[in-house]
Amino acid sequence: MASEAFTPARIEIDERGVPHSPDYGDVYYSADGGLAETDYVFLQGNGLPGRWMGRERFVIGETGFGTGQNVLAAARLFLDTAPAAATLHVVSVEKHPIPKADLARLYPADHPLADLAGDLVANYPDLIPGAHRLELAGGRIVLTLLFGDALEILPRARARVDAWFLDGFAPAKNPQMWQPPLFEAMARLSAPGATFATFTCARMVRDGLAAAGFAFEKRAGFGRKREMLVGHLERAVPAANEPPWYPRGEASRIREAVVIGAGIAGALVARRLAERGWSVRVLERHALPAQEASGNHAGILLPVLSAEWNNLSRIASLGLGYARRMLGRLAATHPEIDWQPTGVLRLARNERHAAQQLKIAARLDLPPDFARWVEPEEGSRLIGARVEQPGWWFAGGGWVNPPNAVRALLDHPRIELRTGVAVTRLEREGESWRVLDASGACVAESGTVILANACALNDLLHGALPLAPVRGQISLSPAVDGRELHAVACREGYVIPVREGLHCFGASFAHGVHDPAPRLEDHAGNIERLESILPDWSGLEPAGLAGRVSHRCATPDRLPVAGPLHDTEAFRQDFEGVHLGWPARRFQPARLHPGLWVTTGHGARGLVWTALLGELIASELNGDPLPVTEELLHAVHPARFDYRQMRLAPEHRKPWVVDTGDE
């Protein structure tokens, strides 16, 4: 992507069957035997498999994903030798990822790693920058692919690496990568006792490793290479520093949690914890789960694009990929969730908007299988109905039935769902939180509590977060004249082809309105939105429509909130000097409410990022590598609003205003 110096790889395969890069003039692996080289240099060089025996989690870091051969070979060895309950995490960087079709060509059916390679190809992400979390081999192999320049993206990763595969094109071919910031980032991300292995003995590599705190020794190289390096982190290096106003939550030693709220956000974080072996109790005030905004008949998954590829674009686009993979796995065991990856057509609102979007298309140079600009004729063919505007076609988007998805997510032996429990107060007692109902009775107790109850969590937190409910009404109707759509279409509203000729369309946005019953004026507004998308679908009458009302939970910056909850009163005292320009080193990390976490503020696009945020919280609590890089970790942090206020002089601090728009 042009905005982040990101370009997919060009790959050629020579007469020996060895892939190489014409841009760097180097091979991806040795002509003397790629798998043998991986085993000798990276696996044996790091003392594997011995070093992961008896461990529940082992983390590998890699500086050049390339063809994925090193990762797949390590995964094969791990599956063959590690304890059955253990998990292998791999965090791998790639500036020029190989396109999916080329990757598949490298692993034919007779390849020794064909089974794992097929799993990788099936889960391979869109070629867009950022962190992509993949789960392979039934979740025993967790791969975090960092697409971007290693010198830029690796320092923004969050992990504790046990073994490094220091790989990439040779220093003579790609000296830009083998620079001091790379080795410094490796040191900061290393766990105690971390090792490394690399095929090269170049002087710049030895000097860079030594300066970063690594001790090394030379060994005989593989094949025609005379020497290679192995070593370990000799000098302890502090982990990557978080700004004091964005404190990290601590991993929990006790694997049990209480989740308050059984909507899509609560169900997803509960599921991700349960799949890590946690015992999770989910408390829901209604008689059934998914009764609030997660109760709509259908919800859309589509990204948001911006010319500067801002944090909203990043989290929505990366979240789409993660949600799509998660829903695919869930649908394999629970087909009733009704996950339909139909694609989504997002139409331009007017000529000016179309011109802006064309500039975005030129600037970002997006891969066409992720997003491409289409004219009205093609858009009409894609969705099966006439449209009059050009727009973006997101082939990987689609729709899902949220209530079915919630029920499927909660269907896990380690999840206990308790309905009809209205939580009114939290009390900290010793190392635990006591969860109380309206009568004052303790309905649950745990060291870890995750609030996933939308705006209602502010009743428990005394208004700690700037959240606002935004009323939305959807409309339901059979297709006009029996016509059916093939895919989701959006403009200033949306229309979803739910099933059996029924269509869901809308939706209204009303701030400060709490009427729970559908209103005719909102149906009329939804009809106008529908006709602006599909001009031939006219003639519907508001009185003939069914509908549903729910309240989205919105934030001032349209980004969700996920992470550990800070003590707001202490925060405002501790960071009073921020507006005076005092540097971060003058402050201690913000004080947290220990064991208290939130996932909320998901707005109109919750389905596209709640899965990724559930994985983020579960990863932090479990002590795993994080599925997002630093900028997104901070962008969704609960303390960001208080920090922004504290940067202003006291006379300029004003109450937050929540925008009701969907873009």
Side-chain angles (χ1 to χ4, degrees):
M1 183 170 297
S3 64
E4 297 196 8
F6 178 92
T7 55
R10 293 193 304 143
I11 186 170
E12 296 178 356
I13 301 176
D14 64 20
E15 65 279 1
R16 302 164 296 175
V18 177
H20 69 99
S21 168
D23 296 315
Y24 286 89
D26 201 3
V27 294
Y28 278 91
Y29 47 73
S30 172
D32 296 324
L35 281 176
E37 179 186 35
T38 292
D39 178 68
Y40 180 81
V41 175
F42 298 112
L43 302 180
Q44 295 182 45
N46 278 289
L48 305 176
R51 292 187 56 232
W52 59 47
M53 301 306 293
R55 297 183 56 173
E56 291 186 356
R57 173 179 56 239
F58 193 83
V59 182
I60 292 173
E62 184 183 41
T63 58
F65 181 75
T67 65
Q69 181 172 260
N70 295 339
V71 171
L72 295 174
R76 178 77 278 152
L77 183 64
F78 186 86
L79 294 173
D80 290 343
T81 62
T87 302
L88 176 65
H89 280 266
V90 183
V91 180
S92 185
V93 181
E94 183 54 62
K95 183 177 180 179
H96 303 292
I98 294 174
K100 183 175 183 177
D102 290 334
L103 188 68
R105 281 196 302 136
L106 296 173
Y107 295 97
D110 59 349
H111 194 283
L113 298 173
D115 56 340
L116 280 170
D119 202 1
L120 172 64
V121 171
N123 287 278
Y124 202 59
D126 298 311
L127 301 190
I128 57 175
H132 301 264
R133 174 61 58 91
L134 284 64
E135 281 115 34
L136 310 177
R140 289 197 62 200
I141 310 298
V142 181
L143 172 60
T144 305
L145 272 177
L146 304 177
F147 285 168
D149 189 316
L151 300 186
E152 297 178 3
I153 199 168
L154 191 60
R156 292 159 27 214
R158 294 295 179 265
R160 299 298 281 166
V161 173
D162 299 300
W164 287 98
F165 294 177
L166 185 48
D167 200 6
F169 295 124
K173 304 288 187 179
N174 183 25
Q176 294 84 2
M177 187 192 84
W178 304 83
Q179 297 296 317
L182 175 71
F183 307 118
E184 292 163 5
M186 289 172 54
R188 286 195 299 271
L189 292 170
S190 289
T195 61
F196 79 89
T198 183
F199 63 89
T200 180
C201 276
R203 179 63 179 269
M204 65 189 303
V205 176
R206 301 198 310 270
D207 290 348
L209 286 166
F214 289 93
F216 59 82
E217 63 178 274
K218 295 180 181 179
R219 288 186 182 175
F222 177 82
R224 284 167 283 185
K225 290 190 173 73
R226 188 162 59 91
E227 294 175 316
M228 59 173 277
L229 292 179
V230 299
H232 65 278
L233 185 65
E234 185 177 50
R235 187 171 68 245
V237 176
N241 290 328
E242 299 293 344
W245 34 82
Y246 294 137
R248 287 279 301 276
E250 291 187 4
S252 175
R253 299 186 308 274
I254 302 173
R255 294 185 175 183
E256 63 175 26
V258 169
V259 176
I260 299 176
I264 191 72
L268 279 161
V269 72
R271 180 70 176 223
R272 296 309 295 141
L273 286 171
E275 290 176 342
R276 285 169 163 84
W278 285 54
S279 297
V280 186
R281 180 178 296 179
V282 180
L283 306 180
E284 169 57 49
R285 63 177 177 169
H286 294 290
L288 294 170
Q291 295 302 295
E292 300 286 345
S294 299
N296 285 345
H297 295 70
I300 307 169
L301 285 87
L302 81 160
V304 181
L305 302 183
S306 62
E308 63 275 19
W309 199 246
N310 60 20
N311 286 329
L312 181 61
S313 296
R314 288 185 176 96
I315 193 170
S317 299
L318 296 169
L320 169 64
Y322 186 79
R324 193 171 63 219
R325 293 187 289 274
M326 180 276 297
L327 287 168
R329 293 193 305 273
L330 192 63
T333 56
H334 295 78
E336 72 277 8
I337 69 170
D338 215 359
W339 158 233
Q340 300 293 331
T342 59
V344 178
L345 179 64
R346 178 80 188 193
L347 299 172
R349 295 191 291 270
N350 48 48
E351 290 185 5
R352 180 181 177 185
H353 185 237
Q356 292 172 339
Q357 299 304 300
L358 283 171
K359 290 180 180 178
I360 291 176
R363 177 178 174 82
L364 298 184
D365 191 23
L366 295 161
D369 53 354
F370 170 68
R372 61 188 176 91
W373 188 254
V374 299
E375 295 302 319
E377 295 77 11
E378 185 177 4
S380 299
R381 290 194 300 271
L382 287 167
I383 69 169
R386 186 174 70 89
V387 297
E388 295 180 331
Q389 299 82 20
W392 288 105
W393 172 248
F394 299 104
W399 64 271
V400 70
N401 180 295
N404 287 351
V406 168
R407 287 190 287 270
L409 288 164
L410 295 174
D411 181 21
H412 191 282
R414 290 187 174 275
I415 297 176
E416 176 193 354
L417 172 65
R418 291 186 58 191
T419 58
V421 178
V423 176
T424 61
R425 197 163 81 252
L426 299 173
E427 288 183 353
R428 185 73 178 174
E429 186 174 283
E431 298 295 314
S432 295
W433 288 98
R434 299 179 72 244
V435 182
L436 309 178
D437 65 11
S439 70
C442 181
V443 295
E445 189 170 351
S446 177
T448 300
V449 173
I450 303 160
L451 303 179
N453 51 339
C455 291
L457 65 79
N458 262 342
D459 295 335
L460 303 175
L461 303 179
H462 310 292
L465 296 173
L467 306 172
V470 180
R471 184 184 184 276
Q473 179 175 317
I474 62 169
S475 301
L476 297 163
S477 173
V480 175
D481 298 331
R483 288 170 287 186
E484 295 188 24
L485 289 179
H486 302 155
V488 178
C490 309
R491 196 178 174 199
E492 291 176 300
Y494 60 80
V495 54
I496 307 172
V498 181
R499 60 172 67 176
E500 299 175 355
L502 183 69
H503 289 78
C504 173
F505 59 96
S508 64
F509 279 78
H511 186 69
V513 179
H514 304 287
D515 186 354
R519 304 185 302 183
L520 288 180
E521 58 265 39
D522 289 334
H523 280 318
N526 286 342
I527 291 172
E528 290 181 10
R529 296 181 186 93
L530 174 65
E531 292 175 350
S532 76
I533 301 168
L534 305 176
D536 296 337
W537 286 34
S538 59
L540 293 176
E541 294 295 332
L545 300 179
R548 186 178 186 276
V549 172
S550 61
H551 288 80
R552 314 168 186 88
C553 182
T555 66
D557 58 8
R558 302 181 184 176
L559 287 168
V561 180
L565 189 67
H566 60 294
D567 183 328
T568 55
E569 293 301 320
F571 191 101
R572 293 160 190 169
Q573 296 173 15
D574 295 344
F575 294 101
E576 185 56 56
V578 168
H579 75 280
L580 299 174
W582 293 357
R585 65 177 179 272
R586 291 194 58 173
F587 300 96
Q588 294 296 315
R591 287 176 270 179
L592 294 171
H593 291 294
L596 194 58
W597 298 71
V598 297
T599 172
T600 186
H602 299 297
R605 297 186 181 275
L607 285 173
V608 82
W609 52 51
T610 43
L612 181 60
L613 298 179
E615 173 67 3
L616 170 61
I617 291 176
S619 297
E620 288 200 78
L621 281 168
N622 205 53
D624 296 331
L626 299 191
V628 301
T629 48
E630 177 186 68
E631 69 279 5
L632 290 188
L633 186 66
H634 298 167
V636 301
H637 199 288
R640 68 185 189 267
F641 301 108
D642 279 332
Y643 170 60
R644 291 170 192 169
Q645 289 279 31
M646 299 310 295
R647 291 180 63 185
L648 301 174
E651 63 270 21
H652 297 306
R653 296 171 191 166
K654 299 178 181 179
W656 288 101
V657 176
V658 177
D659 188 353
T660 62
D662 69 338
E663 282 294 328

